[in-house]
Amino acid sequence: GAGVSQSPRYKVAKRGQDVALRCDPISGHVSLFWYQQALGQGPEFLTYFQNEAQLDKSGLPSDRFFAERPEGSVSTLKIQRTQQEDSAVYLCASSSRLGQGIIQPQHFGDGTRLSIL
Amino acid sequence: DQQVKQNSPSLSVQEGRISILNCDYTNSMFDYFLWYKKYPAEGPTFLISISSIKDKNEDGRFTVFLNKSAKHLSLHIVPSQPGDSAVYFCAASSAYSGAGSYQLTFGKGTKLSVIP
């Protein structure tokens, strides 16, 4: 497709379960980002990949959160032993190239709404 | 500490008039700024951006102004249309210099309502 695709759109899980969220970036985009958006807030940065390399994971809230992009395309955000405070919309964004003086905006998917019961 | 602030949670404007959305930032390392528009149950859609070497960027009905000394930017929409009704997010990064992080820091958003 032409845009960033995320699946599932909605995920309901019981507290303590593991979940996996998928992101298909725009074809050819080397940069991929994950954000978490709580209700009434702006998105907050979680982690950043350039191709398959995870260059920044400073926003991951705990070691229960893990992200990977093994082949430099599709990415998966995994949350282990989910807790109620993990309930949020998880957004994925991709960009064609980022570098000094070379900026392309990040394009977002529609997100996965995660609800932990 | 919020580094990007949108102090107006909501704004109502008559169709055809100008909409002005404001954003303030505190981090002097920010050098690239973006505005996104978001409809319910959809992801943010990129509208317009500006780097710190400029003070104005225009794209159709949308113009972004940057005042670096005041650490303030604004988005002007002229003329406003009912389809512009959405939540608008201001975002900033230090990506332009290449020395900082590429992550975006967002404000909390301003809900714009354009009244027909």
Side-chain angles (χ1 to χ4, degrees):
Chain A
V4 177
S5 178
Q6 292 187 246
S7 61
R9 287 296 315 277
Y10 303 92
K11 176 69 178 177
V12 179
K14 292 183 179 179
R15 185 164 53 94
Q17 289 183 330
D18 299 348
V19 298
L21 313 180
R22 176 188 169 103
C23 173
D24 280 274
I26 294 171
S27 178
H29 279 194
V30 301
S31 300
L32 185 146
F33 300 79
W34 284 98
Y35 293 84
Q36 180 189 61
Q37 185 174 20
L39 191 64
Q41 304 294 316
E44 292 192 357
F45 170 77
L46 293 176
T47 187
Y48 160 58
F49 290 86
Q50 184 166 313
N51 295 306
E52 69 279 1
Q54 189 175 19
L55 299 185
D56 187 350
K57 55 181 181 180
S58 61
L60 296 177
S62 76
D63 58 7
R64 297 186 297 103
F65 286 71
F66 172 76
E68 61 183 4
R69 194 185 185 197
E71 297 179 356
S73 177
V74 171
S75 177
T76 303
L77 176 67
K78 298 179 180 178
I79 309 174
Q80 298 176 324
R81 304 181 303 281
T82 53
Q83 300 178 6
Q84 284 194 320
E85 61 261 31
D86 299 335
S87 296
V89 175
Y90 290 85
L91 293 163
C92 176
S94 70
S95 178
S96 58
R97 186 176 178 185
L98 294 174
Q100 185 175 358
I102 304 170
I103 301 294
Q104 297 293 332
Q106 296 178 28
H107 296 276
F108 284 80
D110 286 338
T112 294
R113 181 175 294 277
L114 175 65
S115 298
I116 305 300
L117 304 180
Chain B
D1 181 35
Q2 214 178 346
Q3 297 186 68
V4 177
K5 298 178 183 178
Q6 294 179 256
N7 291 320
S8 298
S10 63
L11 175 68
S12 290
V13 173
Q14 286 290 132
E15 180 180 3
R17 304 296 290 269
I18 184 171
S19 294
I20 300 176
L21 295 99
N22 294 302
C23 178
D24 297 292
Y25 62 97
T26 57
N27 189 339
S28 58
M29 296 298 293
F30 287 151
D31 56 17
Y32 180 58
F33 306 88
L34 309 89
W35 285 94
Y36 285 85
K37 172 181 179 180
K38 187 180 182 304
Y39 293 119
E42 295 184 9
T45 300
F46 170 72
L47 274 178
I48 192 168
S49 64
I50 189 167
S51 64
S52 57
I53 62 171
K54 296 184 176 181
D55 55 18
K56 176 182 175 181
N57 190 25
E58 192 171 354
D59 184 1
R61 296 185 299 114
F62 302 92
T63 302
V64 56
F65 295 91
L66 175 63
N67 183 334
K68 291 185 290 294
S69 61
K71 293 191 176 66
H72 177 83
L73 64 156
S74 61
L75 174 68
H76 293 208
I77 307 174
V78 183
S80 301
Q81 301 173 354
D84 296 330
S85 296
V87 177
Y88 288 78
F89 289 98
C90 171
S93 81
S94 50
Y96 190 76
S97 66
S101 172
Y102 298 128
Q103 63 177 273
L104 295 178
T105 300
F106 284 83
K108 291 187 176 182
T110 296
K111 184 176 182 179
L112 174 66
S113 300
V114 180
I115 304 164

